Amino acid sequence: MKKYDWILTRPIAHRGLHCEVLPENSLPAFEAAIEAGCAIEIDVQLTKDKVPVVFHDDNLERLTGFKKRLTRVRFADLKRLRLFGTEHTIPTFGEFLDFVAGRVPVLVEVKKNKGSRGIEQLVVDSLKKYKGEFAIQSFHPIAIRKVRKIDPSLYCGLLSSKLTEMKLMFLKKAAVKNARLFFMAKPDFVAFEINSFPNDRVKRFREELKVPIIGWTIKTREDIERAKEYCDGIIFEGIENLRANLGRL
């Protein structure tokens, strides 16, 4: 476990340490997290021409104003877009890894959606060349199982949530909500939405199966207090939150 102690002992900045002038999942937000000594959580998905990029939403509209699914846009066209009207663009996964260059650990979420076929192999191939500390997570147990099949040595986690605002088919929603496919994924840790606690199923993971629990996304003092009771590590959001509640910066 010592190799991965950072996932429990370091606060993990959700999509980088972003704010109004530093867009989420942008290089400046990653630099801010590095300067604060935080690990970084990112999202990776594929463009239409199978380029792994760092971006959270399925649709580009919220961050770029362009009303189209990311998986339907070629990388050359994607690179013309700007994040929240700033000069900053959507980085590739390779650009992100080169930028961080091992300065802090990174937690990579593998996004599964239409057009994501083959993403597990591409992510693992990139990480094989990377010299820094990292872990992989996903909401999708099958994605984690595929990653483990490619390289059983990788440290992987299963994401789970109440899914109050997520639109998923009923069976998929039930599986993710309660981490019901836990044994398919065989995760090294479970990252659970902080508003889902207390949760008896997750309590069992932690106490009986000795699986570390990471709470996400920590935004308030109340979230932090809940995390202290139920979680072993945290994924947090916001510079002001870091200053006011986590004693950093």
Side-chain angles (χ1 to χ4, degrees), residues 2-17:
K2 288 183 179 179
K3 183 178 179 182
Y4 300 100
D5 277 351
W6 62 266
I7 207 166
L8 308 181
T9 60
R10 269 191 166 177
I12 303 170
H14 189 236
R15 307 177 199 169
L17 196 52

Side-chain angles (χ1 to χ4, degrees), residues 84-188:
F84 287 136
T86 66
E87 68 208 65
H88 307 300
T89 60
I90 299 168
T92 67
F93 185 41
E95 287 171 343
F96 164 77
L97 293 176
D98 289 343
F99 182 81
V100 177
R103 289 182 286 169
V104 296
V106 297
L107 179 56
V108 180
E109 179 182 340
V110 175
K111 305 284 286 185
K112 292 290 286 183
N113 45 34
K114 287 185 178 181
S116 65
R117 183 186 295 273
I119 189 171
E120 297 90 354
Q121 185 69 60
L122 291 169
V123 167
V124 172
D125 287 347
S126 293
L127 289 171
K128 280 181 180 178
K129 308 169 190 174
Y130 187 62
K131 302 301 181 183
E133 296 177 290
F134 66 86
I136 298 172
Q137 64 178 2
S138 181
F139 275 105
H140 299 267
I142 293 174
I144 295 302
R145 190 170 70 170
K146 286 182 179 179
V147 167
R148 287 199 180 286
K149 188 174 182 180
I150 297 167
D151 187 343
S153 71
L154 295 181
Y155 193 72
C156 299
L158 183 63
L159 279 156
S160 194
S161 168
K162 289 194 301 185
L163 301 174
T164 52
E165 298 178 359
M166 296 178 68
K167 297 178 181 179
L168 294 172
M169 291 175 59
F170 175 78
L171 289 177
K172 184 184 289 186
K173 186 171 182 177
V176 176
K177 179 177 179 180
N178 294 304
R180 293 185 186 279
L181 298 182
F182 175 89
F183 293 103
M184 174 186 288
K186 297 181 180 178
D188 297 299

